[in-house]
Amino acid sequence: MEPRIKSGWLRAILFMPVWMIIMSITTGVGAAAIMMINGVDMADQAAIEAIFTSMSFDSPMMLLMSVLGILGSFLALWFMMTVVNRQPLASIGLSAENRGKEMLAGLGGALVFIGGIFLILWCLGAITVTGVVGFKSGVFVVSLMLFVAAFDEEIIFRGYILNNMMDSTDNRWIALAGSSVLFALMHAGNPAVFSNFVPMTELFAAGFILGISYTFTKNLWLPTFFHFGWNFFQGLFGFEISGMGVDSWKMIAHENTGNVSDIVSGGAFGIEGSVISLCCTILGTYLIFKYYNDKE
């Protein structure tokens, strides 16, 4: 069946408020239920704020909020795909059949990517290792939470937005640029994101490296595992994730030496604020493009 709205760009833009409204309802109702179960006085603003300000990456509460968030995302996707697109939800790229190699490639690629940037910054004298923290049991909860969060963003920005934008243009780069703008803007509230020009530029570029394989395969599993690995290995190597601290599971402790500018080291935003990361992202996008383009 033909979509009710012919323009893929219009469908993608319309999806954003629908998604935000439904996700706000699911997370809001879920959070209220959690507070009631825990006996929190709903009239006590300080008590409510204390619950959410005390959340860390390894807290069950953070995991639960991530699950509520992806539940809202799936409800929004189901509504748009059923009512507007008139296509099955699975057509956004959810099939996992014969995708094991892509999953491993995404995870392995993320390790090489983040580990490589760590080595470059260390060799440049931008960071100095201060110690090895060791294994923390919270890494299991962190892994689940980060995977749910990565999958959530991929079904939204690649599975629906990029997918629909591709319906309106034969030029994958234009579709990638449109979805990447929205992806970057959704992170505009992160700490230190406007410390210099690099963080937002890198977030925009990240939309390309996460989305380029999707323009060939229409499948979400490589970008999902790369996205998950990107965040997980950043924390494991002791880097902030888009300006947010990772003390709950980092295994390597290091600090910026101050010998190079924040544009090189990434500063308070972590390596996503470094031109080294930006250059690696552009190179990685090209390599993924070349791989799939050569296969065609």
Side-chain angles (χ1 to χ4, degrees):
M1 297 176 67
E2 289 292 319
R4 295 183 189 276
I5 298 175
K6 303 301 182 184
S7 170
W9 289 89
L10 185 55
R11 293 196 300 269
I13 292 171
L14 174 64
F15 172 76
M16 294 302 290
V18 172
W19 171 50
M20 291 179 185
I21 291 170
I22 294 178
M23 188 174 63
S24 296
I25 292 172
T26 56
T27 55
V29 170
I34 292 168
M35 287 186 286
M36 290 176 64
I37 292 171
N38 286 277
V40 177
D41 184 359
M42 302 294 286
D44 188 346
Q45 187 64 32
I48 294 174
E49 291 178 358
I51 287 181
F52 294 101
T53 55
S54 63
M55 283 195 304
S56 62
F57 278 105
D58 63 343
S59 68
M61 183 70 162
M62 181 73 88
L63 175 59
L64 184 54
M65 293 303 294
S66 297
V67 171
L68 290 171
I70 199 170
L71 173 62
S73 295
F74 267 113
L75 287 173
L77 284 166
W78 174 83
F79 172 79
M80 291 296 291
M81 292 298 292
T82 302
V83 176
V84 179
N85 293 66
R86 298 201 282 192
Q87 294 175 344
L89 178 59
S91 66
I92 65 173
L94 296 176
S95 174
E97 185 177 356
N98 298 321
R99 297 293 176 176
K101 290 182 178 179
E102 292 185 6
M103 295 175 187
L104 290 175
L107 201 58
L111 176 58
V112 172
F113 186 88
I114 301 301
I117 295 172
F118 180 91
L119 286 174
I120 292 171
L121 291 176
W122 181 72
C123 290
L124 290 174
I127 59 175
T128 180
V129 176
T130 58
V132 177
V133 178
F135 177 80
K136 295 183 177 181
S137 58
V139 71
F140 296 112
V141 175
V142 168
S143 298
L144 287 172
M145 189 280 296
L146 289 177
F147 184 82
V148 170
F151 187 38
D152 191 0
E153 292 190 3
E154 290 310 307
I155 61 176
I156 298 302
F157 291 99
R158 261 58 69 180
Y160 191 85
I161 293 173
L162 176 58
N163 194 356
N164 280 272
M165 288 182 173
M166 287 170 61
D167 280 349
S168 291
T169 178
D170 293 329
N171 190 318
R172 61 169 44 88
W173 302 107
I174 293 175
L176 279 166
S179 63
S180 296
V181 166
L182 294 177
F183 180 71
L185 289 175
M186 282 303 299
H187 294 82
N190 287 21
V193 71
F194 292 109
S195 54
N196 56 60
F197 76 92
V198 180
M200 283 298 287
T201 308
E202 167 64 358
L203 286 166
F204 173 72
F208 281 77
I209 196 171
L210 290 168
I212 186 63
S213 69
Y214 189 85
T215 64
F216 289 94
T217 66
K218 288 290 186 75
N219 190 272
L220 289 166
W221 294 112
L222 190 150
T224 294
F225 275 80
F226 184 82
H227 193 159
F228 161 67
W230 175 309
N231 289 335
F232 179 76
F233 292 124
Q234 276 189 92
L236 208 65
F237 280 93
F239 293 111
E240 285 81 6
I241 298 178
S242 300
M244 294 179 283
V246 297
D247 286 343
S248 54
W249 85 97
K250 69 179 180 182
M251 293 189 70
I252 298 175
H254 64 80
E255 58 186 26
N256 292 342
T257 61
N259 295 333
V260 299
S261 68
D262 285 352
I263 289 178
V264 176
S265 69
F269 198 70
I271 57 170
E272 292 173 20
S274 167
V275 291
I276 304 297
S277 178
L278 179 58
C279 291
C280 290
T281 300
I282 295 170
L283 175 61
T285 302
Y286 168 74
L287 292 175
I288 297 171
F289 167 77
K290 188 174 186 305
Y291 171 79
Y292 281 104
N293 193 56
D294 289 348
K295 286 181 64 177
E296 288 191 339

